[in-house]
Amino acid sequence: RYLLEWPALDPEGYVGVYFRGGALLEGTTEPGWHTKMPFVTYFDTIQVTVQTDAVSGVPCGTQGGVVIHFEKIEVVNRLKPDMAWATVKNYTVNYDKTWIYDKIHHEINQFCSKHTLSEVYIDKFDQLDEHLVDVLQENASKWAPGIEIISIRVTKPTIPHQLE
């Protein structure tokens, strides 16, 4: 029996999810050593502690047609351990691509398209991080309730050299 099992390690701060024949198996495993069937069962670890996802190079077209770039937007978030399996089931182990990376691009573009360059760069810039937290958390709560958005840090965008 033990010759047919292979060790798998889920480190502290992570839970494990297992796939057999491409299908997600029910439930998660706690940190520690576990066994799996080699070549048949595949496992992945899912971080359930606070993490920071850095979204870089986000272009943004303002209301007046000027394209500016946000070099880095940091999203501090956490996946609730008891919701990890459901989140992976619905959005794969790369759930953060859908709910953080892609969503940041979309929401930045929504924000910029409704405001002038001056508003984005000066007048409303101090409100942007809070606006993003509210919008991302609202969507996550509705569609992926295991994701908790803790904070967002937005760097000042770069504007075209012709306008400086």
Side-chain angles (χ1 to χ4, degrees), residues 75-91:
V75 182
V76 181
N77 65 92
R78 181 178 83 97
L79 180 61
K80 297 174 188 170
D82 61 325
M83 297 296 294
W85 184 84
T87 302
V88 170
K89 176 79 173 163
N90 290 322
Y91 304 107

Side-chain angles (χ1 to χ4, degrees), residues 4 16 33-34 44 85 109 124 134 153-154:
L4 298 176
W33 286 101
H34 305 278
D44 214 332
W85 184 84
N109 280 293
K124 296 186 181 281
D134 292 343
R153 294 182 294 271
V154 181

Side-chain angles (χ1 to χ4, degrees), residues 10 18 51 56 59 75 80 111 116 136 141 163:
D10 297 334
Y18 288 75
Q51 63 181 336
S56 56
V75 182
K80 297 174 188 170
F111 182 83
T116 65
L136 263 69
S141 294
L163 299 178

Side-chain angles (χ1 to χ4, degrees), residues 77-80 82-92 94-100 103 135-149:
N77 65 92
R78 181 178 83 97
L79 180 61
K80 297 174 188 170
D82 61 325
M83 297 296 294
W85 184 84
T87 302
V88 170
K89 176 79 173 163
N90 290 322
Y91 304 107
T92 79
N94 299 315
Y95 67 88
D96 52 351
K97 179 179 181 337
T98 301
W99 291 109
I100 294 176
K103 195 70 176 152
V135 171
L136 263 69
Q137 188 60 67
E138 180 182 324
N139 279 277
S141 294
K142 182 176 181 181
W143 298 104
I147 301 171
E148 184 178 11
I149 306 298

Side-chain angles (χ1 to χ4, degrees), residues 16 36 52 63 75 86-87 89 102 104 114 120 135 138 149 158-159 161-162:
K36 65 182 185 82
T52 301
Q63 190 177 45
V75 182
T87 302
K89 176 79 173 163
D102 293 349
I104 284 289
K114 295 176 184 167
V120 172
V135 171
E138 180 182 324
I149 306 298
T158 56
I159 59 175
H161 295 295
Q162 304 91 317

Side-chain angles (χ1 to χ4, degrees), residues 63-133:
Q63 190 177 45
V66 178
V67 177
I68 59 177
H69 290 83
F70 289 88
E71 294 308 315
K72 185 162 64 168
I73 300 169
E74 294 177 327
V75 182
V76 181
N77 65 92
R78 181 178 83 97
L79 180 61
K80 297 174 188 170
D82 61 325
M83 297 296 294
W85 184 84
T87 302
V88 170
K89 176 79 173 163
N90 290 322
Y91 304 107
T92 79
V93 295
N94 299 315
Y95 67 88
D96 52 351
K97 179 179 181 337
T98 301
W99 291 109
I100 294 176
Y101 292 93
D102 293 349
K103 195 70 176 152
I104 284 289
H105 278 268
H106 174 74
E107 291 303 330
I108 285 287
N109 280 293
Q110 292 288 94
F111 182 83
C112 290
S113 68
K114 295 176 184 167
H115 297 95
T116 65
L117 176 61
S118 177
E119 289 172 330
V120 172
Y121 195 77
I122 300 167
D123 303 335
K124 296 186 181 281
F125 180 76
D126 64 335
Q127 301 164 24
L128 182 55
D129 52 358
E130 289 139 20
H131 169 74
L132 290 171
V133 167

